[in-house]
Amino acid sequence: MTAASPYRSRPILLAALLLGIAAAASAGTFGVLEGVVRDKENDQPVPGASVMIVETQQGRVTDADGRFVIYNVPAGKYTVRIQMIGYRPVSYQNVEVTANLRTRLRVTMEQSAVELTEIVVKAERPLIQKDVIGTTHTVTAMEFKSLPITTPQDILSFKPGTTLEGNVRGGKTSEVVYFIDGLPAQDVMQGTFGADIPTSSVVELSFQTGGFEAEYGNAQSGIVNIVTKSGTNEPYAMARVLKDDWAGGTEHNHETEAEVAVSGPVVRDRLFFFVSSTYNQNGTRWWLDFEKAGPLPVARMLSFFGKLDYLIDPSLKLSAQVLHSDKEWTDYEFSWRFNLNGLPEQRRSVTRVSANLTHTLSENTYYDVRMSLYQNRFRIGPDERPDFDPGRLFSYDMFLQYVTGGERMLWSDALQRTYTLRSDITTQIIANTTMKAGGEFNYYELDNALEKYEPQRSYFGKPLILEKPLNYSTAFRYFPKSGSGFVQGKYEVENATVSVGLRYDFLNPTAKRPAYEFVPVRPNEFRLRLNRMVPSRIKHQFSPRFGVSVPYREDGFVYVNYGYYFQYPLFTYLFSGLDVVTAQRGASALLGNPNLEPERTKAWEISVKQVVKENVVLSATYFRKESSNLIDAKTFIATDSKVAGDYGFAEMVNNPYAESRGFELVLSRSQGAFLTGSISYSFMEALGLSESATQGLNFRQWGFAPVNTLFNLSWDQRHTLKVNAVLQLPLGVQANAFFHTFTGRPYTYFPSRDGFTPLDPEQAFVPNNERMPGYANLDVKLTRTFSFDLARSTEVTVYVDVRNALDQRNVKWMDSSGRIGGELEDPGAYHIGRRTRTGITVEIGF
């Protein structure tokens, strides 16, 4: 692994710095607190009242109409204190401010000639958020503590329109983009959430499945924005530990997890800190096999989050944070169960350092500047590159079922660095209209080395040991750049909201792609030859967004939004196999293409929300999406034996099309003494011409023609029912139950008797022509909190978290002959069975 040249990066970073004041489409971490203060006796406005957020020291004085607006409030829960001479003070507790949204308070004050103790009111979240244009789900820190989840991103599967694996409304999992405190935390080569963050550091998670505004880009299906905690004047400490093998037996992963968090003031009212860390080790669900090959644990993970907030004055705040995680594990494959030492260890180390400056210029204008360095190093195998001999792949038993010797020829050392500079400005210089504008600049350093040889396989999974193995090896170093700018306007009047935005993005791959030609060597025979390297083009994209919410009655709203969304291809699709040496010898079976266009989606939705009973809301949403320019692999045939395989090579191209549509029904009760929760039903249909970026390569390998008609994608999850119930039981026990069921997903039924040829040679190959059995799962978490009035306020929470409480054998995959687990009856073809995790949390407030 070689480091990027500092001289090469300096001009780029200087340009980014100069662009910074006008840059960055920052995902929101701030909300707005507004309201009106009235006299309780005569309902007249109370002008001149002081409104103060205790924790942040932000405040305003009510105007002549008794109204106030406080911008730039970090997402979280606060105490809001209202004072006025001649009135009894009022405090509202647990006032929840949500990122990018408005929290409204209606305050009534009692006249009093003498000073009395203040009135304390517990604020409640509104049943319907009126200024939300698209479908948005928000989860607070308190909800995280009670839900049966392991990581913050697990919450996605609880919401309507999502699958168990994280597909959102018919899209791929890589079409969901993650932010932490307004800055991206995305693995730009794999398309996954690129960090592990302690759950105790999360104050709020917002998840948008439709209608996200122009400040969000490079995502087609969903936006996840994680807002982290900050320290306050009140010191706080937390420690948590859990295990899943207290009772012995085999229904566990030999898992142990510990977490700590500490926060408080460094300088009271000025400088605050928050730190948290989590350590997890386990033997995975396959520990019975792994312990035969070596000592447990098999997987380890350590994550750390630290944050400093400096309140220079009430209008100027500077924050800095560090996120770091280390993870190491070994993937399990059932066909390797007798040779697990032949599977390589994998390691990932992620570090993100960021800073944020927020400045309130006036009562209605503030700006925000953010910058970060994100580094992700992913390694497979030993530190040094091994000397593989592709002529001697691992060996199989005589039935070509199990791997009995050798090691997987897979080694990788991939480093990605992303330098990000973002800022935006928000203002309400026109009555009832909020304007937000900003931009973004990203500079990437990508250094990837991969050695990978895989046997060719029949469609039915049998290795073709007499054929040359496929060579996926590559090595590349590239320095692409991307940027964006946006403007967003939101007009609100009489409880109606209109939102209009426009976003512009560009990507400069700074790379060249190989241009090949077929050279005739004899009649009807050609040889593939590298002709030249063609510079890639800069890609541009304009994305208009529009949304409106209007009341059709006092307790009912209609929401409509329409927009163009896009996503640049993963950098592995752009650059793999493009190094000159590899290209000249034609060694790589799969070549990237830096001229790939952005994947584009047009989407719209319409929804209705109605309060049907006290604290009960019914919502109905219809959505539709059309996507084009998706990525697939086009194969090129050559008879030159020096190229990878015997069929030539494959290059990434744009051409597949996909569409999805469906509707969601949600009945929710967010407030109540005994029972709260939600019931959701979703119908979704996901169709496409390709469901993976390597489908064309695989079809050519198997001898199948490309698919030219739409088919049901493998995540086409038609009917889904989700029930999340929170019950307050006797003896102070709280139960949170999540039931999740859906009808069977598609798979391709194309049976074979011998694993090499189809059972019926005349049968046409049609992808995903059958469906698997349905899925049903119940997770339950029981918690009991004990409070102690010691020298310090202390709470001890004991919990039992049971996953798959009914121990259902839910099918995960079937082979083309309709067998669960295939020829080997792989138990990994079932989702994991029942697991019970027991833990204790101690929280101390000083």
Side-chain angles (χ1 to χ4, degrees), residues 331-569:
D331 283 339
Y332 178 87
E333 293 186 41
F334 192 68
S335 61
W336 285 74
R337 63 180 307 202
F338 301 116
N339 185 33
L340 290 175
N341 289 322
L343 294 173
E345 184 182 62
Q346 305 186 43
R347 290 153 291 166
R348 186 181 73 173
S349 178
V350 174
T351 302
R352 198 189 78 160
V353 182
S354 63
N356 176 35
L357 176 68
T358 306
H359 188 194
T360 302
L361 298 175
S362 66
E363 290 188 358
N364 54 16
T365 302
Y366 70 92
Y367 69 87
D368 182 83
V369 179
R370 306 166 189 263
M371 58 182 64
S372 71
L373 166 61
Y374 169 83
Q375 176 174 295
N376 184 334
R377 189 175 186 185
F378 175 59
R379 289 175 289 173
I380 303 176
D383 291 336
E384 300 297 325
R385 184 194 301 261
D387 186 17
F388 290 138
D389 179 4
R392 299 186 62 184
L393 283 174
F394 40 84
S395 56
Y396 290 87
D397 62 20
M398 63 181 298
F399 301 105
L400 299 179
Q401 295 178 326
Y402 293 99
V403 178
T404 57
E407 62 179 359
R408 165 147 288 167
M409 293 191 180
L410 174 61
W411 177 89
S412 177
D413 193 351
L415 175 67
Q416 53 180 295
R417 292 192 184 101
T418 304
Y419 301 88
T420 300
L421 183 61
R422 301 168 168 259
S423 80
D424 58 51
I425 184 168
T426 303
T427 184
Q428 192 175 15
I429 56 177
I430 304 174
N432 301 324
T433 302
T434 301
M435 297 296 298
K436 189 172 185 178
E440 164 187 321
F441 184 84
N442 295 301
Y443 174 71
Y444 308 92
E445 296 179 4
L446 308 176
D447 197 343
N448 186 35
L450 173 68
E451 289 286 329
K452 180 180 179 181
Y453 301 90
E454 288 286 342
Q456 293 189 50
R457 294 180 180 274
S458 72
Y459 171 74
F460 311 100
K462 285 291 188 180
L464 308 178
I465 58 176
L466 299 180
E467 302 291 341
K468 289 184 179 180
L470 296 179
N471 180 4
Y472 294 93
S473 303
T474 186
F476 62 76
R477 292 186 70 222
Y478 288 101
F479 305 90
K481 300 176 282 290
S482 70
S484 69
F486 80 92
V487 60
Q488 182 79 43
K490 185 177 287 187
Y491 176 72
E492 299 180 66
V493 62
E494 297 294 335
N495 285 330
T497 302
V498 178
S499 177
V500 180
L502 180 65
R503 181 181 178 89
Y504 168 77
D505 292 84
F506 76 87
L507 171 68
N508 184 357
T510 63
K512 298 180 179 180
R513 73 172 176 85
Y516 292 95
E517 64 178 351
F518 292 104
V519 179
V521 294
R522 58 180 62 90
N524 298 321
E525 187 173 339
F526 299 85
R527 176 170 296 175
L528 188 69
R529 185 176 69 183
L530 176 64
N531 186 19
R532 66 190 186 281
M533 300 296 288
V534 180
S536 60
R537 303 182 305 273
I538 297 177
K539 313 301 184 302
H540 303 267
Q541 171 78 22
F542 283 96
S543 305
R545 315 276 172 84
F546 170 79
V548 60
S549 69
V550 293
Y552 66 91
R553 53 186 298 177
E554 182 180 359
D555 51 3
F557 280 77
V558 176
Y559 303 82
V560 180
N561 65 73
Y562 178 84
Y564 283 73
Y565 306 91
F566 80 101
Q567 192 165 24
Y568 293 122

Side-chain angles (χ1 to χ4, degrees), residues 63 236 268 422 437 507 520 611 695 769:
D63 62 16
Y236 169 82
R268 190 170 182 84
R422 301 168 168 259
L507 171 68
V611 178
Q695 179 173 284
N769 55 348

Side-chain angles (χ1 to χ4, degrees), residues 102-340:
R102 291 175 176 263
T103 298
R104 295 175 170 88
L105 286 181
R106 192 181 190 282
V107 181
T108 57
M109 302 189 74
E110 296 180 7
Q111 296 187 27
S112 175
V114 296
E115 184 174 343
L116 299 174
T117 58
E118 67 180 8
I119 300 173
V120 178
V121 181
K122 184 177 180 180
E124 295 182 335
R125 184 189 298 181
L127 296 178
I128 298 178
Q129 189 73 42
K130 302 173 183 179
D131 57 335
V132 176
I133 301 302
T135 302
T136 303
H137 309 280
T138 302
V139 182
T140 65
M142 288 296 294
E143 292 171 296
F144 271 111
K145 292 171 62 175
S146 64
L147 289 170
I149 59 174
T150 305
T151 63
Q153 56 268 36
D154 289 345
I155 195 65
L156 272 64
S157 64
F158 280 62
K159 303 306 178 183
T162 63
T163 68
L164 193 64
E165 294 75 20
N167 306 89
V168 176
R169 290 185 172 178
K172 299 178 181 178
T173 56
S174 59
E175 295 177 2
V176 179
V177 174
Y178 293 84
F179 293 84
I180 298 177
D181 286 333
L183 290 166
Q186 197 80 354
D187 187 323
V188 295
M189 290 203 279
Q190 301 298 323
T192 58
F193 183 38
D196 294 295
I197 183 169
T199 304
S200 60
S201 63
V202 179
V203 67
E204 175 188 286
L205 181 148
S206 64
F207 174 36
Q208 299 185 45
T209 60
F212 34 97
E213 297 178 339
E215 65 176 297
Y216 297 101
N218 206 26
Q220 297 182 94
S221 291
I223 295 290
V224 178
N225 190 23
I226 296 172
V227 182
T228 60
K229 293 180 181 178
S230 295
T232 67
N233 280 326
E234 304 300 325
Y236 169 82
M238 183 277 292
R240 178 180 64 86
V241 64
L242 73 80
K243 286 180 70 67
D244 71 347
D245 56 359
W246 295 105
T250 59
E251 289 187 352
H252 56 76
N253 295 348
H254 275 307
E255 179 182 15
T256 301
E257 183 170 283
E259 184 172 20
V260 295
V262 181
S263 69
V266 178
V267 178
R268 190 170 182 84
D269 296 330
R270 289 291 184 185
L271 184 62
F272 312 95
F273 77 94
F274 178 91
V275 294
S276 63
S277 183
T278 300
Y279 175 76
N280 181 286
Q281 67 176 33
N282 66 85
T284 76
R285 64 184 292 192
W286 311 110
W287 63 271
L288 287 170
D289 279 351
F290 271 122
E291 70 177 359
K292 299 173 185 176
L296 301 178
V298 177
R300 302 176 184 85
M301 186 275 292
L302 174 66
S303 64
F304 169 84
F305 177 80
K307 187 176 184 181
L308 279 174
D309 294 288
Y310 179 36
L311 190 63
I312 301 172
D313 60 50
S315 67
L316 188 61
K317 179 180 177 182
L318 179 64
S319 298
Q321 61 179 249
V322 175
L323 173 64
H324 179 80
S325 64
D326 284 306
K327 186 176 182 179
E328 57 183 44
W329 72 99
T330 300
D331 283 339
Y332 178 87
E333 293 186 41
F334 192 68
S335 61
W336 285 74
R337 63 180 307 202
F338 301 116
N339 185 33
L340 290 175

Side-chain angles (χ1 to χ4, degrees), residues 457-745:
R457 294 180 180 274
S458 72
Y459 171 74
F460 311 100
K462 285 291 188 180
L464 308 178
I465 58 176
L466 299 180
E467 302 291 341
K468 289 184 179 180
L470 296 179
N471 180 4
Y472 294 93
S473 303
T474 186
F476 62 76
R477 292 186 70 222
Y478 288 101
F479 305 90
K481 300 176 282 290
S482 70
S484 69
F486 80 92
V487 60
Q488 182 79 43
K490 185 177 287 187
Y491 176 72
E492 299 180 66
V493 62
E494 297 294 335
N495 285 330
T497 302
V498 178
S499 177
V500 180
L502 180 65
R503 181 181 178 89
Y504 168 77
D505 292 84
F506 76 87
L507 171 68
N508 184 357
T510 63
K512 298 180 179 180
R513 73 172 176 85
Y516 292 95
E517 64 178 351
F518 292 104
V519 179
V521 294
R522 58 180 62 90
N524 298 321
E525 187 173 339
F526 299 85
R527 176 170 296 175
L528 188 69
R529 185 176 69 183
L530 176 64
N531 186 19
R532 66 190 186 281
M533 300 296 288
V534 180
S536 60
R537 303 182 305 273
I538 297 177
K539 313 301 184 302
H540 303 267
Q541 171 78 22
F542 283 96
S543 305
R545 315 276 172 84
F546 170 79
V548 60
S549 69
V550 293
Y552 66 91
R553 53 186 298 177
E554 182 180 359
D555 51 3
F557 280 77
V558 176
Y559 303 82
V560 180
N561 65 73
Y562 178 84
Y564 283 73
Y565 306 91
F566 80 101
Q567 192 165 24
Y568 293 122
L570 300 178
F571 285 136
T572 49
Y573 298 162
L574 268 63
F575 303 130
S576 291
L578 295 190
D579 52 295
V580 175
V581 174
T582 297
Q584 287 179 339
R585 72 187 184 200
S588 183
L590 186 61
L591 297 181
N593 181 0
N595 264 337
L596 289 173
E597 293 291 330
E599 300 180 348
R600 295 182 170 91
T601 294
K602 292 186 295 183
W604 66 275
E605 69 174 13
I606 180 171
S607 62
V608 178
K609 293 185 179 181
Q610 175 67 55
V611 178
V612 294
K613 192 179 178 181
E614 183 181 4
N615 296 334
V616 178
V617 176
L618 175 66
S619 66
T621 303
Y622 176 82
F623 65 88
R624 183 177 177 86
K625 296 165 54 177
E626 296 181 5
S627 300
S628 59
N629 271 0
L630 303 181
I631 310 301
D632 199 359
K634 181 180 179 182
T635 57
F636 297 85
I637 304 171
T639 58
D640 184 354
S641 62
K642 292 197 299 295
V643 300
D646 288 335
Y647 55 85
F649 72 99
E651 184 180 41
M652 293 298 186
V653 295
N654 294 106
N655 65 14
Y657 168 88
E659 62 183 41
S660 62
R661 55 185 173 269
F663 64 88
E664 302 160 3
L665 295 174
V666 182
L667 187 67
S668 60
R669 187 173 192 259
S670 59
Q671 302 164 15
F674 172 68
L675 173 66
T676 58
S678 64
I679 301 174
S680 70
Y681 164 76
S682 300
F683 171 83
M684 290 189 296
E685 186 177 31
L687 305 172
L689 295 173
S690 175
E691 61 182 16
S692 75
T694 59
Q695 179 173 284
L697 171 63
N698 294 332
F699 278 16
R700 181 66 197 179
Q701 180 187 172
W702 299 325
F704 298 147
V707 176
N708 294 317
T709 59
L710 294 174
F711 63 90
N712 298 319
L713 301 174
S714 58
W715 54 89
D716 180 70
Q717 189 171 297
R718 291 293 175 86
H719 304 279
T720 304
L721 178 67
K722 300 179 180 181
V723 181
N724 184 26
V726 182
L727 296 92
Q728 306 300 328
L729 303 179
L731 304 178
V733 176
Q734 177 178 292
N736 194 315
F738 176 58
F739 178 72
H740 184 189
T741 183
F742 53 81
T743 53
R745 295 177 182 166

Side-chain angles (χ1 to χ4, degrees), residues 25-43:
S26 75
T29 59
F30 300 101
V32 176
L33 177 65
E34 65 179 14
V36 60
V37 180
R38 292 186 173 276
D39 188 298
K40 186 176 181 179
E41 183 177 347
N42 56 32
D43 199 36

